Short mmCIF file of all heavy atoms in Angstrom, two decimals:
data_model
loop_
_atom_site.label_atom_id
_atom_site.label_comp_id
_atom_site.label_asym_id
_atom_site.label_seq_id
_atom_site.Cartn_x
_atom_site.Cartn_y
_atom_site.Cartn_z
N ASP G 274 -4.98 -9.65 -3.67
CA ASP G 274 -5.65 -10.51 -4.57
C ASP G 274 -4.61 -11.26 -5.38
O ASP G 274 -4.05 -10.68 -6.29
CB ASP G 274 -6.61 -9.72 -5.48
CG ASP G 274 -7.46 -10.64 -6.32
OD1 ASP G 274 -7.10 -11.75 -6.67
OD2 ASP G 274 -8.57 -10.14 -6.82
N ASN G 275 -4.26 -12.49 -4.99
CA ASN G 275 -3.21 -13.22 -5.67
C ASN G 275 -3.52 -13.51 -7.11
O ASN G 275 -2.65 -13.55 -7.94
CB ASN G 275 -2.97 -14.53 -4.91
CG ASN G 275 -2.27 -14.36 -3.54
OD1 ASN G 275 -1.60 -13.33 -3.35
ND2 ASN G 275 -2.48 -15.23 -2.63
N ALA G 276 -4.83 -13.62 -7.44
CA ALA G 276 -5.18 -13.92 -8.82
C ALA G 276 -4.83 -12.72 -9.70
O ALA G 276 -4.58 -12.87 -10.94
CB ALA G 276 -6.63 -14.34 -8.92
N LYS G 277 -4.93 -11.48 -9.12
CA LYS G 277 -4.68 -10.29 -9.89
C LYS G 277 -3.28 -9.75 -9.63
O LYS G 277 -2.92 -8.67 -10.14
CB LYS G 277 -5.71 -9.25 -9.60
CG LYS G 277 -7.10 -9.65 -9.94
CD LYS G 277 -8.14 -8.51 -9.60
CE LYS G 277 -9.52 -8.88 -10.04
NZ LYS G 277 -10.55 -7.74 -9.63
N ASN G 278 -2.50 -10.43 -8.71
CA ASN G 278 -1.19 -9.92 -8.33
C ASN G 278 -1.28 -8.49 -7.92
O ASN G 278 -0.45 -7.58 -8.24
CB ASN G 278 -0.17 -10.04 -9.40
CG ASN G 278 0.08 -11.52 -9.79
OD1 ASN G 278 0.28 -12.36 -8.96
ND2 ASN G 278 0.12 -11.82 -11.03
N THR G 279 -2.28 -8.14 -7.09
CA THR G 279 -2.51 -6.81 -6.66
C THR G 279 -2.58 -6.69 -5.13
O THR G 279 -3.23 -7.58 -4.53
CB THR G 279 -3.83 -6.27 -7.27
OG1 THR G 279 -3.69 -6.33 -8.70
CG2 THR G 279 -4.15 -4.78 -6.84
N VAL G 280 -2.01 -5.73 -4.62
CA VAL G 280 -2.04 -5.42 -3.14
C VAL G 280 -2.76 -4.14 -2.92
O VAL G 280 -2.59 -3.18 -3.68
CB VAL G 280 -0.67 -5.49 -2.51
CG1 VAL G 280 0.19 -4.38 -3.08
CG2 VAL G 280 -0.72 -5.40 -1.04
N TYR G 281 -3.49 -4.06 -1.84
CA TYR G 281 -4.23 -2.89 -1.49
C TYR G 281 -3.89 -2.53 -0.04
O TYR G 281 -3.57 -3.33 0.78
CB TYR G 281 -5.75 -3.16 -1.55
CG TYR G 281 -6.24 -3.75 -2.86
CD1 TYR G 281 -6.31 -5.15 -2.93
CD2 TYR G 281 -6.60 -3.04 -3.86
CE1 TYR G 281 -6.73 -5.77 -4.13
CE2 TYR G 281 -7.05 -3.56 -5.08
CZ TYR G 281 -7.12 -4.92 -5.20
OH TYR G 281 -7.52 -5.58 -6.35
N VAL G 282 -4.00 -1.16 0.24
CA VAL G 282 -4.01 -0.82 1.57
C VAL G 282 -5.12 0.22 1.80
O VAL G 282 -5.16 1.23 1.12
CB VAL G 282 -2.58 -0.21 1.97
CG1 VAL G 282 -2.26 1.01 1.23
CG2 VAL G 282 -2.55 0.13 3.50
N GLN G 283 -6.03 -0.09 2.67
CA GLN G 283 -7.08 0.80 3.01
C GLN G 283 -6.63 1.66 4.23
O GLN G 283 -6.24 1.08 5.28
CB GLN G 283 -8.30 0.00 3.46
CG GLN G 283 -9.52 0.83 3.92
CD GLN G 283 -10.08 1.73 2.85
OE1 GLN G 283 -10.24 1.25 1.70
NE2 GLN G 283 -10.42 2.83 3.19
N MET G 284 -6.65 2.90 4.05
CA MET G 284 -6.08 3.83 5.12
C MET G 284 -7.23 4.62 5.72
O MET G 284 -7.82 5.48 4.90
CB MET G 284 -5.01 4.73 4.50
CG MET G 284 -3.86 3.96 3.79
SD MET G 284 -2.55 4.96 3.30
CE MET G 284 -3.35 5.95 2.01
N ASN G 285 -7.54 4.43 6.89
CA ASN G 285 -8.66 5.12 7.62
C ASN G 285 -8.05 6.05 8.67
O ASN G 285 -6.95 5.89 9.13
CB ASN G 285 -9.61 4.14 8.18
CG ASN G 285 -10.27 3.25 7.14
OD1 ASN G 285 -10.55 3.67 5.99
ND2 ASN G 285 -10.61 2.03 7.54
N SER G 286 -8.84 6.94 9.17
CA SER G 286 -8.48 7.83 10.30
C SER G 286 -7.14 8.47 9.98
O SER G 286 -6.21 8.50 10.83
CB SER G 286 -8.48 7.07 11.56
OG SER G 286 -9.75 6.50 11.85
N LEU G 287 -7.00 8.99 8.73
CA LEU G 287 -5.68 9.51 8.36
C LEU G 287 -5.36 10.75 9.19
O LEU G 287 -6.21 11.51 9.53
CB LEU G 287 -5.72 9.83 6.84
CG LEU G 287 -5.56 8.64 5.96
CD1 LEU G 287 -6.05 8.90 4.50
CD2 LEU G 287 -4.13 8.08 5.94
N LYS G 288 -4.06 10.89 9.40
CA LYS G 288 -3.53 12.03 10.22
C LYS G 288 -2.58 12.82 9.29
O LYS G 288 -1.95 12.25 8.38
CB LYS G 288 -2.74 11.46 11.40
CG LYS G 288 -3.57 10.54 12.31
CD LYS G 288 -2.68 10.00 13.36
CE LYS G 288 -3.45 9.02 14.24
NZ LYS G 288 -2.55 8.46 15.36
N PRO G 289 -2.36 14.06 9.61
CA PRO G 289 -1.34 14.83 8.83
C PRO G 289 0.01 14.17 8.79
O PRO G 289 0.73 14.19 7.69
CB PRO G 289 -1.33 16.16 9.54
CG PRO G 289 -2.62 16.36 10.16
CD PRO G 289 -3.03 14.93 10.54
N GLU G 290 0.39 13.48 9.76
CA GLU G 290 1.71 12.79 9.86
C GLU G 290 1.77 11.51 8.85
O GLU G 290 2.87 10.97 8.70
CB GLU G 290 2.20 12.39 11.22
CG GLU G 290 1.09 11.65 12.05
CD GLU G 290 0.27 12.48 12.95
OE1 GLU G 290 -0.11 13.59 12.50
OE2 GLU G 290 -0.03 12.08 14.11
N ASP G 291 0.66 11.15 8.32
CA ASP G 291 0.64 10.04 7.34
C ASP G 291 1.01 10.63 5.96
O ASP G 291 1.16 9.85 4.99
CB ASP G 291 -0.73 9.44 7.28
CG ASP G 291 -1.12 8.71 8.54
OD1 ASP G 291 -0.22 7.99 9.09
OD2 ASP G 291 -2.26 8.78 8.96
N SER G 292 1.08 11.92 5.82
CA SER G 292 1.47 12.55 4.53
C SER G 292 2.82 12.06 4.12
O SER G 292 3.85 12.20 4.85
CB SER G 292 1.39 14.07 4.57
OG SER G 292 0.18 14.52 4.90
N ALA G 293 2.90 11.56 2.85
CA ALA G 293 4.19 11.04 2.32
C ALA G 293 3.97 10.63 0.89
O ALA G 293 2.83 10.50 0.44
CB ALA G 293 4.69 9.96 3.25
N VAL G 294 5.04 10.26 0.28
CA VAL G 294 5.00 9.44 -0.98
C VAL G 294 4.97 7.98 -0.55
O VAL G 294 5.85 7.56 0.21
CB VAL G 294 6.18 9.74 -1.91
CG1 VAL G 294 6.07 8.89 -3.17
CG2 VAL G 294 6.21 11.23 -2.22
N TYR G 295 3.92 7.30 -1.00
CA TYR G 295 3.79 5.89 -0.68
C TYR G 295 4.32 5.06 -1.90
O TYR G 295 3.94 5.27 -3.03
CB TYR G 295 2.35 5.53 -0.39
CG TYR G 295 1.94 5.96 0.98
CD1 TYR G 295 1.88 7.35 1.28
CD2 TYR G 295 1.70 5.08 1.97
CE1 TYR G 295 1.41 7.81 2.58
CE2 TYR G 295 1.39 5.45 3.22
CZ TYR G 295 1.23 6.85 3.56
OH TYR G 295 0.93 7.21 4.84
N TYR G 296 5.18 4.06 -1.61
CA TYR G 296 5.75 3.21 -2.53
C TYR G 296 5.41 1.74 -2.37
O TYR G 296 5.39 1.27 -1.15
CB TYR G 296 7.25 3.26 -2.54
CG TYR G 296 7.88 4.62 -2.85
CD1 TYR G 296 8.13 5.53 -1.80
CD2 TYR G 296 8.19 5.00 -4.07
CE1 TYR G 296 8.65 6.84 -2.07
CE2 TYR G 296 8.76 6.19 -4.42
CZ TYR G 296 8.96 7.18 -3.41
OH TYR G 296 9.57 8.37 -3.69
N CYS G 297 5.05 1.13 -3.46
CA CYS G 297 4.79 -0.28 -3.40
C CYS G 297 6.03 -1.05 -3.63
O CYS G 297 6.85 -0.63 -4.44
CB CYS G 297 3.78 -0.64 -4.42
SG CYS G 297 3.38 -2.35 -4.60
N LYS G 298 6.26 -2.12 -2.97
CA LYS G 298 7.44 -2.96 -3.11
C LYS G 298 7.07 -4.43 -3.32
O LYS G 298 6.12 -4.94 -2.60
CB LYS G 298 8.38 -2.80 -1.90
CG LYS G 298 9.65 -3.71 -1.95
CD LYS G 298 10.51 -3.52 -0.71
CE LYS G 298 11.70 -4.43 -0.73
NZ LYS G 298 12.40 -4.38 0.53
N TYR G 299 7.69 -5.05 -4.29
CA TYR G 299 7.47 -6.55 -4.48
C TYR G 299 8.88 -7.19 -4.16
O TYR G 299 9.91 -6.75 -4.65
CB TYR G 299 7.07 -6.72 -5.93
CG TYR G 299 7.20 -8.21 -6.44
CD1 TYR G 299 6.14 -9.02 -6.33
CD2 TYR G 299 8.46 -8.71 -6.87
CE1 TYR G 299 6.25 -10.31 -6.74
CE2 TYR G 299 8.58 -9.98 -7.26
CZ TYR G 299 7.42 -10.79 -7.20
OH TYR G 299 7.54 -12.13 -7.53
N SER G 300 8.82 -8.29 -3.40
CA SER G 300 9.99 -9.03 -3.10
C SER G 300 9.65 -10.49 -3.44
O SER G 300 8.73 -11.12 -2.95
CB SER G 300 10.33 -8.92 -1.60
OG SER G 300 10.60 -7.61 -1.22
N GLY G 301 10.49 -11.06 -4.29
CA GLY G 301 10.31 -12.45 -4.67
C GLY G 301 11.46 -13.04 -5.41
O GLY G 301 12.13 -12.22 -6.17
N ASN G 302 11.84 -14.25 -5.23
CA ASN G 302 12.96 -14.83 -5.88
C ASN G 302 14.22 -14.04 -5.72
O ASN G 302 15.04 -13.88 -6.61
CB ASN G 302 12.66 -14.98 -7.40
CG ASN G 302 13.55 -16.05 -8.07
OD1 ASN G 302 14.05 -16.95 -7.42
ND2 ASN G 302 13.78 -15.91 -9.41
#
């Protein structure tokens, strides 16, 4: 949502191998 400067990730059918620490990254300028 660019108006809110927010990014989402919907994660479905999760598997044990998806277990991790998830980090958000912003790249600009």
Side-chain angles (χ1 to χ4, degrees):
D274 184 335
N275 288 333
K277 296 181 178 179
N278 294 316
T279 300
V280 64
Y281 309 92
V282 62
Q283 176 67 41
M284 305 186 295
N285 298 328
S286 302
L287 284 161
K288 305 174 181 180
E290 51 263 44
D291 293 318
S292 297
V294 178
Y295 283 69
Y296 297 91
C297 177
K298 179 184 177 183
Y299 166 95
S300 299
N302 199 24

